[in-house]
Amino acid sequence: MRVPTDRSLVTWIRELERAGKIYELYRTPEYRRLRREVLEEHHGECYDCKQRGKYTPAVHVHHDKEVKDFPELAMSKFWYDKGGKHMQLIPLCHACHDKRHGRFFDGRAAHEKKMAEIEEKYPERW
């Protein structure tokens, strides 16, 4: 499936959202190319881990402004406001992606458990 050209991106995303098929956006060649660009620009490293001085492989590209709330930003690398330019697509490891979404398990943040696993597996920058 490709991003349709016969109607706006926002209209198409809202239709996908209503049908419970937003995953179709992430399967399009256009999104996959954009995701690949973001990962390459950040050298495949997790943005949040890097901010803390750690180097972890990024496996997700997170939308800072959620697609369901800001469909017009779904295919944008940045968003802008009075404060300036902000990252919209952020490369993250699984643990940091879970943390950004507030996903928890076993009474501990997913981030803590995943970071311990990652640090054990990747003691140095790869």
Side-chain angles (χ1 to χ4, degrees):
M1 171 170 269
R2 298 186 72 82
V3 173
T5 56
D6 62 336
R7 58 190 182 275
S8 80
L9 177 66
V10 171
T11 301
W12 182 62
I13 289 174
R14 287 194 175 131
E15 289 170 3
L16 291 176
E17 187 71 37
R18 277 193 297 276
K21 295 183 176 184
I22 196 66
Y23 61 85
E24 289 186 14
L25 167 68
Y26 304 111
R27 291 181 176 172
T28 63
E30 296 89 350
Y31 180 79
R32 288 179 182 219
R33 183 176 13 85
L34 183 60
R35 179 185 185 281
R36 196 169 38 253
E37 284 176 20
V38 169
L39 290 171
E40 286 173 4
E41 288 169 4
H42 292 272
H43 311 288
E45 298 171 346
C46 173
Y47 179 81
D48 288 356
C49 286
K50 194 171 183 178
Q51 296 301 308
R52 293 188 311 277
K54 301 203 181 229
Y55 296 93
T56 309
V59 293
H60 298 282
V61 173
H62 173 75
H63 285 85
D64 186 42
K65 300 277 190 180
E66 288 190 51
V67 172
K68 68 178 183 172
D69 298 326
F70 297 90
E72 67 278 9
L73 297 175
M75 300 291 287
S76 300
K77 290 183 186 178
F78 303 98
W79 60 273
Y80 302 85
D81 66 5
K82 291 178 183 174
K85 182 177 176 181
H86 307 275
M87 288 177 61
Q88 168 61 2
L89 296 176
I90 304 165
L92 297 174
C93 67
H94 187 73
C96 289
H97 195 227
D98 278 352
K99 186 174 182 180
R100 290 252 185 155
H101 282 283
R103 296 189 275 247
F104 300 92
F105 59 90
D106 296 334
R108 295 187 324 169
H111 180 76
E112 317 268 17
K113 186 172 182 179
K114 289 286 184 186
M115 283 307 299
E117 292 170 6
I118 289 168
E119 287 174 7
E120 185 176 314
K121 189 173 181 180
Y122 302 101
E124 297 179 4
R125 186 175 179 169
W126 66 102

